[in-house]
Amino acid sequence: MPDTTTIESLEALRLEALRELESASGEALEVWRSKYLGRKGRLTQVLRGIVGMPPDERRSFGAAANTLKEVLENAFADRAAAVGPKPADTGLDVTLPGRRPLQGRLHPVTQTVRDIAEALTAMGFQIVEGPEVEHDYYNFTALNIPPDHPARDMWDTLWVDRVDAEGNPRILLRTHTSPMQARVMEKTKPPVRVAVPGRCYRYEATDATHEWHFHQVEGLAVAEGITFAELKGTLYEFARRIFGPERKVRFRCDYFPFVEPGVDMAIDWKGEWLEIMGAGMVHPRVLAGVGYDPEKFTGFAFGMGVERIALLRHGIDDIRHFAANDLRFLSQF
Ligand code: DAH
């Protein structure tokens, strides 16, 4: 074993290490580093031996050995910088600009539902919600549309694949939010004033203004002495809040089995009228069906199509955009 405790031996170690380092690259660089500077490396061994030396030798030898350690470390760093992997070799360019994170937001239909709810709550309506899978009693019968009544054809219905004892399907995907009229009145004594946002479904061919699934907001106000004038005032005020005071509104007679008289409201859209809601005075039979005395109470109801309102507000040309999930469309709102 060569003597490693003299200044001369350190000098020999220095020459040998540096000569070897001169030609090292790639993996050989790492081999060199562990051979001389690693935990079991040669210089490390020398440094460990220092503790056992007589004190006067220890000071000068220790200083020389530590200097050598620094020399070798610096030489290694220089060599590695000259021949080792460059930052560019790793494929990472730290000077590139960062990527902007995607920002989420509410779907335009959700935004419109919220705006409608806000306009109606400001007018004293209370928000309630109901089931999307509904019994045919609430969707039709309680709304003065008995089984086998031709008015059922007004709504192309998606039935749930389940039949009652007589073999008739009785469960459906609600075709409108109107079933909540009966559900609310059954559970509440008048006066009631509620608004019902929610999703509806119809077995329907789609086009620019029709979807097979869509949202409605229903409104219902029942009390003593409510008149048609209040219905009209409420709907005009609603239209003013949602579309602004300048937008043209058309109001005309229409037929719905659960109201008498019935009306519909349309807004001007691309030079035409687009119907956005049906409305009317709640039919006495609907009131009687939930146990209200139609001699004493009157009320009005309305139901509006949310997607159509969103079309009108944003100047969108096709209702099918809403459910297509295309970010190029959705990120405009
Ligand atoms: N439920 C009707 C539909 O979806 C819309 C409607 C008409 C709702 C008249 C009402 C109403 O509350 O009074 O076609």
Side-chain angles (χ1 to χ4, degrees), residues 67-144:
T67 308
L68 177 57
K69 183 168 182 237
E70 249 173 66
V71 168
L72 293 188
E73 278 172 353
N74 289 339
F76 175 79
D78 290 348
R79 180 70 188 160
V83 300
K86 301 276 185 303
D89 295 341
T90 66
L92 185 72
D93 182 351
V94 294
T95 67
L96 280 175
R99 276 193 204 128
R100 195 178 282 277
L102 285 179
Q103 196 182 13
R105 69 196 81 192
L106 293 176
H107 190 281
V109 170
T110 308
Q111 288 177 32
T112 307
V113 167
R114 292 195 182 185
D115 292 344
I116 292 169
E118 201 179 303
L120 292 174
T121 49
M123 290 191 268
F125 288 83
Q126 190 185 338
I127 304 292
V128 293
E129 289 181 300
E132 290 175 23
V133 181
E134 186 54 283
H135 199 281
D136 104 345
Y137 173 77
Y138 289 105
N139 199 85
F140 293 124
T141 310
L143 293 169
N144 193 28

Side-chain angles (χ1 to χ4, degrees), residues 155 175-176 178 181 202 216 218-219 256 258-259 278-280 301-303:
W155 294 273
T175 59
H176 47 189
S178 305
Q181 291 187 22
R202 290 193 196 164
Q216 285 189 344
E218 191 81 8
F256 299 97
F258 32 94
V259 286
F302 55 88

Side-chain angles (χ1 to χ4, degrees), residues 139 143 154-155 175-179 181 200 202 214 216-220 231 254-264 275-283 300-305:
N139 199 85
L143 293 169
M154 287 172 73
W155 294 273
T175 59
H176 47 189
T177 43
S178 305
Q181 291 187 22
C200 307
R202 290 193 196 164
F214 53 92
Q216 285 189 344
V217 178
E218 191 81 8
L220 174 73
L231 165 61
D254 202 348
Y255 170 71
F256 299 97
F258 32 94
V259 286
E260 180 58 37
V263 294
D264 71 58
E275 269 176 37
I276 58 155
M277 71 170 109
M281 300 305 289
V282 181
H283 198 288
F300 62 78
F302 55 88
M304 63 186 85

